[in-house]
Amino acid sequence: MTTPFPFTAVVGQDDLRLALLLNAVSPAVGGVLVRGEKGTAKSTAVRALSALLPAVAVVPGCRFSCDPAAPDPSCPDGPHEPGPGAHRPARMVELPVGASEDRLVGALDIERALAEGVKAFEPGLLADAHRGILYVDEVNLLHDHLVDLLLDAAAMGASYVEREGVSVRHAARFLLVGTMNPEEGELRPQLLDRFGLTVEVAASREPDQRVEVVRRRLAYDDDPASFAARWAGEEAAVRQRIVAARELLPRVRLGDGALRQIAATCAAFEVDGMRADIVMARTATALAAWAGRTDVLAEDVRQAALLALPHRRRRNPFDAPGLDEDKLDRTLEEFSGESPDDDPDPDPEGPGGGGGGPAPDAGPQGGDTGARPEEGDGGEPQPSGAGAGEQSAARAAEPFRTKALSVPGIGEGAAGRRSRARTEHGRTTGARRPRGALTKLHLAATVQAAAPHQRARGRSGPGLVIRRDDLRQAAREGREGNLVLFVVDASGSMAARQRMSAVKGAVLSLLLDAYQRRDKVGLVTFRGSAADVALPPTSSVDAAAARLESLPTGGRTPLAAGLLKAHEVLRVERLRDPARRALVVLVTDGRATGGPEPVALAGRAARLFAAEQVASVVVDCESGPVRLGLAGQLATELGGTAVTLDELRADAIAGLVKDVQGTSRRAA
């Protein structure tokens, strides 16, 4: 067995270690979500925690780790007779990102259930993690239906397996720990809220601390057993402290004053629902027990707020997690007394009602500097060179809620919430023979297939005589995620600030919608003499927003380069994820002024998309008294649809994309 890295040998990461220890003291806190960049000891600290947990008493032979002092009356291996239990170390079970639903919750032998009427159940990872730790690395990459099952079990303390009227239930109480790198995409707000605490981790910028991290890691890699022995004393001390805190926890008093501070803090930061108040109360109580006290103090409430509230304040993915600590201190001080009438006057600070956002004029560079009237309006080619006529980046318009978009047809891409797809989850549309393991039984089709053969098979009892060939898999239709690739003309002819602001606002809005629907979004820009992938296909809205805000404009219009770069992005993405379908949104006035024979080359590049039947729309940004209709010609080459600039409004672009998809469907 591999010797784990000692928990007490982890350098720094005080908040991470504290959050894990508080959950070890009181699993009712609700688990920990650890957010941070790669290489910050997230997984190392989580794996090391299991060695500190006290041993677990279990019923001998029970696959579901029942407590001999209070066995689960619904245990599939029960009922259990009273008697002495056996002790085993607490488990840490890892849930792989690519795990199946059966691997998580367990598998029921449908064939035996139909033929013999018995519940032949093979436990899953939730059963293995009962009374231990369930660790999900890269939890943000886990499929939605697995996350829903996981968090439901964590909230109810039990797992249910339902298959065609056959039901199995078993206890599943565990410490849930998830780690994620925000650059690879966010969790939905509903799922964020289900984690009790969250911690942001980052690598230290102090050279001495980084040296110590490397020194300890190298020593551990050279001789894990010897390194662990050096820290055995510290590990034993922390283990004993956890046991003492657990014993003290029931005696900790959460007074009315502390409760008022908790309620006031949650109200001041405008968190949704009441889960934050409950988690803060449990966390503050665990903090007091960890400190060896029986009373919850204001410092416990403050620390609980820093751990329990940051991820619950985010209204959308563009909001950075975190708390205004000055505001937190003012709130705690204001409600430090027992009486609610000590200070009836409202706090003169914060007239914005706790929103905490900057004033509307916080970014004057985005609104005070107008575009030169000749850029983008006169239709004349710009001077050659990437830097000619370059302007600072325009601010994006305010994001808005978009209409639902969808790609025509039925796909088979990654699970999401946008377009129709054949999936393992959704409404049943038919039946087929299973390919591989049976996961979703179509009961009626199975019975229909087996019924004609009952006499030949010598059926004599009440059960059906079922053969493997009789089983039918349910064919289901659900939703998939897509790739929306924006190809944006950032040349001088597009440099009008109001125009680019509207385009950026629309892209940000669709990006927010894509985050909620589990899509990928990419951004290609072209200007000067080349095209750039400003945003490779991703689900990270934070990275996308930053790239879009900093997008400059100016120079010539290498339209063909932009199209070819977009085509290359789609080609690579098909290799990585061949089932994910794409929609290309090209924002341009249709001019092509970069390189030799720019118009003819752009036409040939556009025909590549038409040949591959890629859904596309051209947003025509041409303006001025004389319009050449180049965007319309380009749309014809693409096999898509062109829309004039007048229709490019921040509240209409999503509907525009939906309309062009409908047009493509009718054309097909």
Side-chain angles (χ1 to χ4, degrees):
M1 181 177 179
T2 304
T3 303
F5 191 92
F7 186 84
T8 52
V10 175
V11 178
Q13 308 297 9
D14 295 337
D15 287 344
L16 169 58
R17 292 190 293 169
L18 177 60
L20 292 172
L21 289 169
L22 292 177
N23 274 272
V25 171
S26 175
V29 166
V32 185
L33 176 65
V34 187
R35 296 164 44 94
E37 58 197 24
K38 52 188 175 294
T40 49
K42 301 188 297 293
S43 300
T44 299
V46 175
R47 293 188 176 100
L49 178 67
S50 60
L52 299 178
L53 298 181
V56 178
V58 298
V59 173
C62 178
R63 298 174 298 166
F64 302 88
S65 302
C66 280
D67 186 349
D72 181 6
S74 302
C75 177
D77 285 355
H80 299 299
E81 296 294 331
H87 285 78
R88 63 160 175 79
R91 292 174 180 161
M92 193 203 73
V93 177
E94 294 195 42
L95 173 60
V97 170
S100 65
E101 179 179 339
D102 285 347
R103 185 71 186 97
L104 176 62
V105 301
L108 194 64
D109 191 330
I110 298 297
E111 188 172 353
R112 289 191 62 193
L114 287 175
E116 304 173 27
V118 297
K119 297 179 181 178
F121 182 71
E122 183 66 27
L125 295 177
L126 292 179
D128 293 341
H130 180 44
R131 305 175 68 197
I133 301 173
L134 183 62
Y135 172 47
V136 189
D137 193 14
E138 305 295 351
V139 65
N140 52 323
L141 303 183
L142 202 63
H143 286 306
D144 279 358
H145 69 280
L146 292 183
V147 176
D148 292 340
L149 290 170
L150 178 65
L151 296 180
D152 284 345
M156 297 186 296
S159 175
Y160 294 85
V161 181
E162 303 281 350
R163 291 289 169 82
E164 304 297 343
V166 181
S167 174
V168 174
R169 174 207 172 276
H170 65 82
R173 293 184 295 276
F174 46 81
L175 167 56
L176 176 62
V177 182
T179 57
M180 60 175 284
N181 183 348
E183 293 179 357
E184 296 174 339
E186 293 282 354
L187 278 174
R188 302 197 313 268
Q190 303 94 311
L191 305 183
L192 278 173
D193 187 55
R194 298 296 290 271
F195 283 93
L197 309 180
T198 188
V199 178
E200 296 281 336
V201 296
S204 172
R205 299 299 184 257
E206 294 293 330
D208 291 342
Q209 195 172 74
R210 296 175 74 97
V211 167
E212 186 61 23
V213 170
V214 175
R215 181 181 291 118
R216 294 186 186 183
R217 186 69 211 190
L218 293 177
Y220 171 77
D221 290 341
D222 288 342
D223 190 348
S226 176
F227 183 82
R230 288 167 45 193
W231 294 88
E234 288 84 348
E235 293 282 286
V238 173
R239 190 179 298 109
Q240 293 171 3
R241 188 175 176 185
I242 291 174
V243 173
R246 284 186 173 186
E247 294 175 351
L248 181 62
L249 186 65
R251 303 198 301 273
V252 175
R253 189 183 74 91
L254 183 64
D256 290 343
L259 273 174
R260 282 188 53 78
Q261 286 183 317
I262 290 171
T265 301
C266 292
F269 285 100
E270 299 180 329
V271 296
D272 296 329
M274 296 297 297
R275 183 174 285 121
D277 303 63
I278 296 171
V279 172
M280 273 191 65
R282 290 171 173 166
T283 305
T285 303
L287 280 162
W290 179 248
R293 291 184 270 100
T294 57
D295 287 302
V296 174
L297 305 180
E299 62 194 64
D300 300 323
V301 176
R302 186 182 192 279
Q303 184 64 58
L306 293 174
L307 293 172
L309 296 188
H311 60 302
R312 293 185 166 88
R313 290 194 62 245
R314 304 183 77 187
R315 291 297 182 267
N316 64 63
F318 303 124
D319 297 334
L323 287 184
D324 182 342
E325 295 194 31
D326 291 336
K327 180 178 179 179
L328 173 61
D329 291 335
R330 291 197 303 269
T331 302
L332 294 176
E333 182 178 358
E334 179 182 356
F335 289 88
S336 60
E338 293 289 341
S339 170
D341 298 324
D342 287 344
D343 186 11
D345 295 330
D347 186 353
E349 296 190 44
D361 59 351
Q365 71 275 12
D368 294 345
T369 304
R372 289 182 293 179
E374 68 272 18
E375 291 187 320
D377 293 329
E380 295 297 326
Q382 302 300 310
S384 62
E390 181 173 321
Q391 298 188 29
S392 61
R395 293 185 61 188
E398 189 69 20
F400 55 90
R401 187 173 184 84
T402 69
K403 300 177 182 178
L405 315 181
S406 63
V407 176
I410 301 179
E412 296 182 346
R417 301 193 169 190
R418 183 173 301 279
S419 303
R420 296 171 59 196
R422 286 179 283 270
T423 65
E424 288 295 318
H425 299 271
R427 64 186 182 90
T428 300
T429 57
R432 58 175 173 80
R433 292 182 181 273
R435 296 189 291 268
L438 178 71
T439 56
K440 296 291 184 182
L441 178 76
H442 194 294
L443 181 58
T446 298
V447 172
Q448 186 176 11
H453 309 290
Q454 295 305 295
R455 180 176 297 178
R457 293 173 182 175
R459 172 185 171 185
S460 58
L464 290 174
V465 180
I466 300 291
R467 299 286 186 265
R468 175 67 186 175
D469 290 343
D470 300 329
L471 299 179
R472 294 295 183 269
Q473 176 83 22
R476 301 195 172 198
E477 183 178 300
R479 295 285 171 175
E480 67 174 0
N482 300 126
L483 168 62
V484 181
L485 182 62
F486 283 86
V487 185
V488 179
D489 183 347
S491 64
S493 62
M494 290 284 295
R497 188 167 298 274
Q498 182 179 4
R499 195 177 309 158
M500 286 305 300
S501 178
V503 170
K504 287 184 177 183
V507 176
L508 280 175
S509 302
L510 287 173
L511 178 64
L512 176 58
D513 183 67
Y515 156 76
Q516 295 168 339
R517 298 179 186 276
R518 310 296 285 180
D519 290 323
K520 283 187 175 181
V521 172
L523 175 63
V524 172
T525 65
F526 55 96
R527 55 188 287 269
S529 60
D532 297 307
V533 181
L535 177 69
T538 180
S539 298
S540 175
V541 294
D542 294 334
R547 302 284 177 86
L548 195 65
E549 284 287 353
S550 61
L551 178 65
T553 57
R556 288 188 176 272
T557 310
L559 177 58
L563 291 172
L564 291 174
K565 181 67 72 173
H567 186 267
E568 176 65 14
V569 169
L570 293 182
R571 186 189 67 81
V572 173
E573 191 64 18
R574 286 193 201 100
L575 295 175
R576 293 174 177 169
D577 192 355
R580 190 181 293 270
R581 297 182 292 164
L583 169 70
V584 174
V585 178
L586 175 60
V587 184
T588 182
D589 56 9
R591 286 178 170 80
T593 60
E597 299 184 357
V599 177
L601 186 59
R604 289 197 295 270
R607 287 191 288 275
L608 292 175
F609 292 85
E612 296 175 4
Q613 298 182 335
V614 178
S616 61
V617 57
V618 178
V619 179
D620 184 0
C621 299
E622 187 177 28
S623 60
V626 178
R627 302 194 180 191
L628 305 178
L630 299 176
Q633 298 175 24
L634 181 61
T636 301
E637 299 279 5
L638 284 165
T641 302
V643 183
T644 65
L645 181 62
D646 294 337
E647 296 172 297
L648 182 61
R649 295 171 42 235
D651 57 353
I653 185 171
L656 162 65
V657 178
K658 185 176 181 181
D659 290 343
V660 72
Q661 290 175 331
T663 301
S664 300
R665 186 183 299 111
R666 289 191 296 271

